[in-house]
Amino acid sequence: MKRIGIIGAMDLEVAQLKEWMQVKEIVTKASMDFYVGELGGRDAVVVRCGIGKVNAALCVQILADIFEVTHIINTGVAGSLNAALDIGDILISKDVLHHDVDVTIFGYQLGEVPQMGFREFQADEGMIDAAMAACREVNPGLHVRTGRVVSGDQFISDKEVKQRLITTFAGDCTEMEGASIAHSSYLNGIPFVIIRAISDKADDSAEMDYPTFEREAASHCAALVAHMLTLL
Ligand code: ADE
């Protein structure tokens, strides 16, 4: 029996999903409210984990241990690192890495967590395909592509830092939870995908109206995720 865990860092990233869901119970653990019920004809658990990698890792472990989820979807917004990804576009993770890990002194690649044996966490192919198909069906006007998510405990808003993430990691978008969700899912043997709508350009863009774009972007992702559940 499939049970899908859906994680958003902020309220606005999961609010719509909670509304659409038939909620059976709400369980609170580690100061997070886990909404357990049915969404898109599937058993699902929807949760706001809070911002950053520690919150996200804890949340995945609770989804694994207490709710025994079989799949994990992370939905939310991100800053673009790719000129081909504009505000409102959607990036589905092919792979994910930590941009703020540096153990190069011992011969590891920048971004590589020691003793893992690799740097990039691979998203599940079936979930990538379902997310792409769902996006084309519910948001046909939107530009969607697959690519690399790079995550760290930093909001990127400086063009030199942005350039470093592009040059060093070939990232397509940046946010603050994806790598932690990927890493924790990997350790628990749970397939995952990260779905992010672009809310900003991860630089000091003068024209940026972050709260407006953030709301619109989060709503695109919610529609996609709800439909994706029917395809899993
Ligand atoms: N989430 C949305 N935009 C972001 C950015 N520029 N940096 C980190 N996380 C983000």
Side-chain angles (χ1 to χ4, degrees):
M1 182 74 170
K2 287 178 182 155
R3 182 179 256 200
I4 321 296
I6 303 170
I7 305 173
M10 296 181 291
D11 271 331
L12 97 166
E13 292 169 332
V14 288
Q16 238 168 4
L17 292 172
K18 285 185 198 162
E19 259 173 46
W20 293 334
M21 186 177 194
Q22 284 163 276
V23 180
K24 294 192 183 131
E25 61 171 333
I26 301 170
V27 180
T28 303
K29 291 266 171 208
S31 307
M32 299 171 198
D33 294 331
F34 293 81
Y35 286 65
V36 183
E38 231 182 80
L39 183 66
R42 295 257 173 235
D43 280 355
V45 183
V46 175
V47 54
R48 177 188 69 93
C49 70
I51 291 168
K53 297 204 299 178
V54 171
N55 288 323
L58 267 171
C59 184
V60 169
Q61 200 55 52
I62 293 167
L63 284 172
D65 289 347
I66 312 276
F67 299 102
E68 299 182 339
V69 298
T70 56
H71 297 71
I72 289 183
I73 301 172
N74 172 219
T75 172
V77 298
S80 174
L81 299 175
N82 180 332
L85 274 173
D86 213 339
I87 289 168
D89 292 347
I90 295 196
L91 189 284
I92 316 277
S93 65
K94 201 182 272 173
D95 60 20
V96 193
L97 61 81
H98 298 277
H99 71 65
D100 57 356
V101 169
D102 181 351
V103 193
T104 50
I105 184 76
F106 295 123
Y108 293 100
Q109 295 179 81
L110 207 53
E112 183 179 354
V113 176
Q115 300 175 357
M116 299 294 293
F118 59 88
R119 183 178 71 164
E120 296 90 16
F121 296 90
Q122 305 296 326
D124 181 72
E125 292 288 342
M127 295 178 80
I128 296 171
D129 292 347
M132 290 293 282
C135 190
R136 292 206 178 98
E137 282 174 41
V138 294
N139 298 318
L142 284 190
H143 174 216
V144 56
R145 62 190 292 152
T146 58
R148 175 167 294 168
V149 178
V150 302
S151 316
D153 281 320
Q154 299 160 6
F155 190 95
I156 307 301
S157 57
D158 178 295
K159 59 181 186 315
E160 270 141 43
V161 179
K162 171 181 178 175
Q163 193 50 50
R164 190 178 64 80
L165 297 186
I166 297 169
T167 314
T168 313
F169 300 112
D172 290 300
C173 76
T174 186
E175 36 78 303
M176 302 176 68
E177 297 82 23
S180 173
I181 289 170
H183 189 153
S184 311
S185 298
Y186 170 80
L187 293 177
N188 284 283
I190 302 172
F192 74 90
V193 71
I194 315 294
I195 300 169
R196 295 279 176 163
I198 301 301
S199 55
D200 60 273
K201 295 287 190 72
D203 59 15
D204 42 12
S205 307
E207 79 279 12
M208 184 169 104
D209 180 3
Y210 183 75
T212 309
F213 291 135
E214 186 185 53
R215 234 183 349 266
E216 283 173 17
S219 138
H220 290 155
C221 269
L224 187 170
V225 169
H227 188 60
M228 178 185 166
L229 295 202
T230 67
L231 306 178
L232 277 179

